[in-house]
Amino acid sequence: DQQVKQNSPSLSVQEGRISILNCDYTNSMFDYFLWYKKYPAEGPTFLISISSIKDKNEDGRFTVFLNKSAKHLSLHIVPSQPGDSAVYFCAASADAGGTSYGKLTFGQGTILTVHP
Amino acid sequence: GAVVSQHPSRVICKSGTSVKIECRSLDFQATTMFWYRQFPKKSLMLMATSNEGSKATYEQGVEKDKFLINHASLTLSTLTVTSAHPEDSSFYICSASRDGGTSGRRGETQYFGPGTRLLVL
C-alpha cells in the first residue's frame, strides 16, 4: 500500500521557469511533510518541510504548499536552475509519540531536469 | 558536516552467502540509524530503526533473522543480509539522525548515506 505517491516519474523544465513537483498521500495521520533532493551516487538531502498546521512554507526559491483536504502537497521551484536537476522525494511522518520520531514514508521520486 | 558513508557502494555475491553493509556517521554521533530498501522505480521503504546499544525495531514484513542490524556505537550501524537470495537484490540505504528526537523537527536532521547496490546471483 503506497501511502505517499508521486505520480509523475519525471519533469522537464526550461531554465528560469517554474518547476512544480506534486505529491499525494492517503494516511490522514501524517502531520509533517518533507522534500528531499537526491543527486546520482549521493544520498537524499533535506530540502524543505511543512507542518500540517501550515499551508505554505517558503525558503528562497523553494516553496512547499500543503492542501490537507485534498491530501496533496507540491514543491515549487522558481526560478529553476540547471543545478536543480535531481530526483526529488516527498516524505511524510505521523506523530505517534517517541516511537515514530524520524520514521518517514517516502514517495517514489520525480526526476527533474532543468534545461539551460 | 553531517556526512554519512556506506560501505561497500556495490556488492555482488552468490546465493546463500551473507553480506554485511556498514553505515557510518563521519562527523557526528548518531543516536538513531535507519535502514531503507529501494526497488527500481519504487520508493524508499523503511526496514528498521536502530538505537545505539539496543535491539533494532523492524517494520512489519521485514524478517529480523534475515536482516541483522547491529548498532554497536554512536557512529556505526551494520546491516547483514544472511543467506542472501536473488530476491534480496536491491538498493539499501541508511540514514543517521543527529538529535534525540526532542527538537520537534522530524526528518530534517536525518542524514542519508549514498546507498549500497546489492546483487545476488
Side-chain angles (χ1 to χ4, degrees):
Chain A
D1 179 29
Q2 189 77 29
Q3 296 187 55
V4 178
K5 293 183 181 179
Q6 293 175 256
N7 291 315
S8 297
S10 63
L11 175 67
S12 183
V13 172
Q14 203 70 28
E15 181 179 6
R17 307 294 288 267
I18 185 171
S19 296
I20 300 176
L21 299 107
N22 294 300
C23 180
D24 298 293
Y25 62 96
T26 57
N27 188 340
S28 58
M29 297 300 292
F30 289 145
D31 66 345
Y32 205 79
F33 304 89
L34 308 96
W35 284 94
Y36 289 84
K37 177 179 180 180
K38 183 183 182 303
Y39 291 118
E42 296 181 10
T45 56
F46 168 72
L47 190 58
I48 192 169
S49 62
I50 188 167
S51 166
S52 61
I53 61 173
K54 296 185 176 181
D55 54 19
K56 176 183 174 181
N57 189 26
E58 189 173 353
D59 184 2
R61 296 185 298 113
F62 303 91
T63 302
V64 56
F65 295 92
L66 175 62
N67 182 333
K68 283 189 296 183
S69 60
K71 294 191 176 67
H72 175 84
L73 64 154
S74 61
L75 174 67
H76 293 212
I77 306 173
V78 57
S80 302
Q81 300 173 354
D84 296 329
S85 298
V87 179
Y88 289 78
F89 291 96
C90 70
S93 73
D95 185 5
T99 57
S100 76
Y101 178 82
K103 180 176 173 177
L104 301 172
T105 301
F106 283 85
Q108 309 97 306
T110 297
I111 301 171
L112 173 66
T113 304
V114 180
H115 298 283
Chain B
V3 179
V4 176
S5 69
Q6 274 184 249
H7 178 81
S9 58
R10 185 185 296 263
V11 58
I12 301 172
C13 69
K14 292 183 179 180
S15 185
T17 62
S18 294
V19 175
K20 180 184 284 189
I21 302 170
E22 291 186 350
C23 177
R24 292 182 185 272
S25 55
L26 298 183
D27 51 3
F28 67 99
Q29 292 186 325
T31 52
T32 306
M33 286 186 170
F34 304 87
W35 285 95
Y36 295 84
R37 181 175 180 176
Q38 185 181 24
F39 291 103
K41 300 189 188 302
K42 299 291 185 183
S43 60
L44 291 166
M45 299 294 294
L46 180 66
M47 298 175 66
T49 304
S50 73
N51 293 291
E52 184 264 339
S54 61
K55 289 184 178 180
T57 302
Y58 290 81
E59 294 300 302
Q60 192 173 12
V62 178
E63 299 175 60
K64 61 182 180 181
D65 294 330
K66 180 165 188 63
F67 299 100
L68 300 180
I69 292 171
N70 186 299
H71 192 164
S73 76
L74 286 171
T75 60
L76 173 64
S77 176
T78 59
L79 168 69
T80 301
V81 183
T82 62
S83 187
H85 288 97
E87 57 265 30
D88 299 324
S89 298
S90 192
F91 187 69
Y92 293 88
I93 190 166
C94 72
S95 69
S97 179
R98 184 156 59 177
D99 64 41
T102 58
S103 69
R105 289 152 55 90
R106 289 174 272 159
E108 289 91 339
T109 53
Q110 200 173 133
Y111 301 96
F112 288 82
T116 296
R117 177 77 59 192
L118 170 64
L119 177 61
V120 184
L121 302 176

